[in-house]
């Protein structure tokens, strides 16, 4: 240990340069164990799919059979029928877009849920 002795006889001097870093201290004790977290989604209920079509589609009043399925986690999207079956009740997010050929007058696409129209695009 160094003993510091101050003399109050003169004016205060300029601040000195920062000293070297001291040695690393000893590792502290472990903290208390945290609370158990919420369970994750079981693998068998993980759901995601992405499908696309880069070709002309002319079927009327039928489901769209996509030409490419890039992702189908959980296999809840049926590539043969173009239908998705939710494994559990919940909130699901869907997005879709389309382009119409200039020679076609009208195009309608419907997002259906159990036979009822949820969203339609013209």
């Amino acid at each position: 240990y160094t003993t510091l002795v101050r003399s109050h006889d003169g004016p205060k001097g300029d601040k000195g340069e920062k000293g070297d870093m001291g040695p690393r201290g000893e590792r502290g004790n472990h903290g208390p164990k945290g609370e158990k977290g919420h369970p994750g989604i079981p693998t068998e209920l993980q759901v995601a799919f992405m499908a696309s079509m880069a070709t002309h589609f002319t079927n009327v009043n039928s489901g769209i059979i996509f030409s490419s399925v890039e992702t189908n986690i959980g296999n809840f999207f049926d590539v043969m029928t173009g239908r998705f079956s939710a494994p559990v009740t919940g909130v699901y997010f869907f997005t879709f877009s389309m382009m119409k050929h200039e020679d076609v007058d009208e195009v309608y696409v419907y997002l259906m849920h159990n036979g009822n129209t949820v969203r339609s695009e013209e």
Side-chain angles (χ1 to χ4, degrees):
Y1 292 99
T2 303
T3 305
L4 180 62
V5 177
R6 281 197 172 171
S7 171
H8 297 286
D9 295 342
K12 182 177 179 182
D14 293 335
K15 184 174 181 178
E17 293 182 20
K18 185 174 180 177
D20 294 333
M21 183 178 279
R24 184 179 178 129
E26 294 181 24
R27 186 177 182 104
N29 296 328
H30 283 283
K33 186 174 181 177
E35 294 180 25
K36 185 174 182 176
H38 296 290
I41 298 171
T43 304
E44 64 271 11
L45 297 181
Q46 292 179 9
V47 178
F49 75 91
M50 184 173 89
S52 62
M53 176 178 290
T55 59
H56 204 66
F57 181 73
T58 57
N59 293 10
V60 177
N61 296 326
S62 67
I64 298 174
I65 308 302
F66 295 95
S67 58
S68 177
V69 178
E70 289 80 16
T71 303
N72 194 6
I73 297 172
N75 292 316
F76 295 105
F77 177 71
D78 187 332
V79 297
M80 301 304 287
T81 64
R83 293 180 181 220
F84 167 74
S85 297
V88 294
T89 301
V91 176
Y92 293 85
F93 176 79
F94 295 89
T95 181
F96 62 92
S97 62
M98 64 179 186
M99 292 191 306
K100 177 180 84 68
H101 191 275
E102 63 187 18
D103 295 337
V104 177
D105 291 330
E106 295 179 333
V107 175
Y108 298 95
V109 176
Y110 301 95
L111 177 63
M112 309 293 288
H113 177 250
N114 294 334
N116 300 311
T117 301
V118 175
R119 176 82 177 153
S120 63
E121 292 292 326
E122 309 181 19

